[in-house]
């Protein structure tokens, strides 16, 4: 929409007039459907873009910045003819996000409290107790690292819609890391010889986990916010995240008399489905951009190769974990085949085969 200058000869907000400027309805953006959703009303253009509506430059600036305000298009190597076209499929915004997080936390706490009252954790297989201390304790550091990376990435998103999707993704990761920490600490109070520090030691020193650390720290070290978002949801999560959460903990727990761990981490799988849908929608838009689509596809394929190699290496190194419990209801090779099929479907949907 083209702005026209009013009689006000300043850069103040309101000094540009638009068709419908005096309307009390939200009609300054094009909704995805016939009518704007509540999500669109409270999200689209909340982060003002001087290329769209403002005569003045960005309303936020930081000392030592590159100029042009707090947000610049070169924060990512990807390009778009319209960054504002993206709408998160999960339509999550502040209120709905807090409501969903609250429900999940309530569920997790009820599960842990009721299990402790019933003494359910005391029937855990002894070897499984060690697996939880070491490997679930290590995994919480992986989730924290991914959440920290996304927290950094959301700062540079060029629109509020991108920032919202990235920040809620970060919040889910941080919540799971916290849930695992509290869960292990609470059941550990009732199990003799429990070591809360074993997970951290395993994460830092066990050779099994070092390729996973490398993969996550490589993502964290990227200076391209969209690369971080892409690497986590398109590559790392299906190849390593789901592999361990769904393919190991949720399947092996019950076979080793543990009916508490699966519901504690189950919400993470639903979290990922939402985050994946958001990421696929954004990457698909960019990969099929009329002006920059071919360039973006080449970029995404390079990210897929770079982070895919690290994720495959990380997954292979984790294989010994599947052989540690007494009861082994699923093999690593079967789970790996599922993860390979999963990422194959994602990549095919994006046209990045």
């Amino acid at each position: 929409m083209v702005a026209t200058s009013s009689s006000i000869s300043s850069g103040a907000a309101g000094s540009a007039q638009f068709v419908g400027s005096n309307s009390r309805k939200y009609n300054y953006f094009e909704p995805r459907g016939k009518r704007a959703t509540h999500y669109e009303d409270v999200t689209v253009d909340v982060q003002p873009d001087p290329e769209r509506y403002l005569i003045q430059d960005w309303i936020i600036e930081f000392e030592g910045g590159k100029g042009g305000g707090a947000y610049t298009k070169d924060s990512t190597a990807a390009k778009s003819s319209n960054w504002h076209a993206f709408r998160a499929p999960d339509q999550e915004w502040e209120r709905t996000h807090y409501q969903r997080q609250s429900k999940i936390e309530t569920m997790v706490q009820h599960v842990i409290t009721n299990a402790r009252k019933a003494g359910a954790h005391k029937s855990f297989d002894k070897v499984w107790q060690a697996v939880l201390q070491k490997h679930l304790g290590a995994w919480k550091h992986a989730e924290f690292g991914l959440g920290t990376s996304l927290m950094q990435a959301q700062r540079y998103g060029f629109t509020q819609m991108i920032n919202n999707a990235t920040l809620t993704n970060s919040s889910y990761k941080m919540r799971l890391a916290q849930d695992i920490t509290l869960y292990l600490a609470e059941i550990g109070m009732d199990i003799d010889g429990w070591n809360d520090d074993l997970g951290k030691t395993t994460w830092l020193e066990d050779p099994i986990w070092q390729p996973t650390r490398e993969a996550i720290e490589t993502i964290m070290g990227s200076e391209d916010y969209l690369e971080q978002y892409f690497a986590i949801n398109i590559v790392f999560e299906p190849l390593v995240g789901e592999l361990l959460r769904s393919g190991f903990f949720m399947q092996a727990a019950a076979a080793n008399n543990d009916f508490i761990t699966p519901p504690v981490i189950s919400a993470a799988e639903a979290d990922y489905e939402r985050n994946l849908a958001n990421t696929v929608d954004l990457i698909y838009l960019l990969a099929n951009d009329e002006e920059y689509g071919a360039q973006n596809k080449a970029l995404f394929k390079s990210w897929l190769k770079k982070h895919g190699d690290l994720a495959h290496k990380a997954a292979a190194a984790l294989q010994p974990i599947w052989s540690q419990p007494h009861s082994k209801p699923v093999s690593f090779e079967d789970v790996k085949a599922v993860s390979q099929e999963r990422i194959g479907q994602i990549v095919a949907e994006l046209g990045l085969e």
Side-chain angles (χ1 to χ4, degrees), residues 183-202:
Y183 165 55
L184 294 179
E186 289 198 43
I187 64 171
M189 290 190 291
D190 302 321
I191 299 177
D192 293 337
W194 189 270
N195 184 356
D196 283 327
D197 296 325
L198 196 54
K200 181 178 180 180
T201 302
T202 300

Side-chain angles (χ1 to χ4, degrees), residues 36-57:
T37 63
H38 197 168
Y39 156 79
E40 289 177 305
D41 284 342
V42 299
T43 307
V44 178
D45 289 310
V46 168
Q47 181 170 294
D49 181 349
E51 292 184 3
R52 286 163 70 85
Y53 306 119
L54 303 178
I55 286 180
Q56 76 271 27
D57 208 335

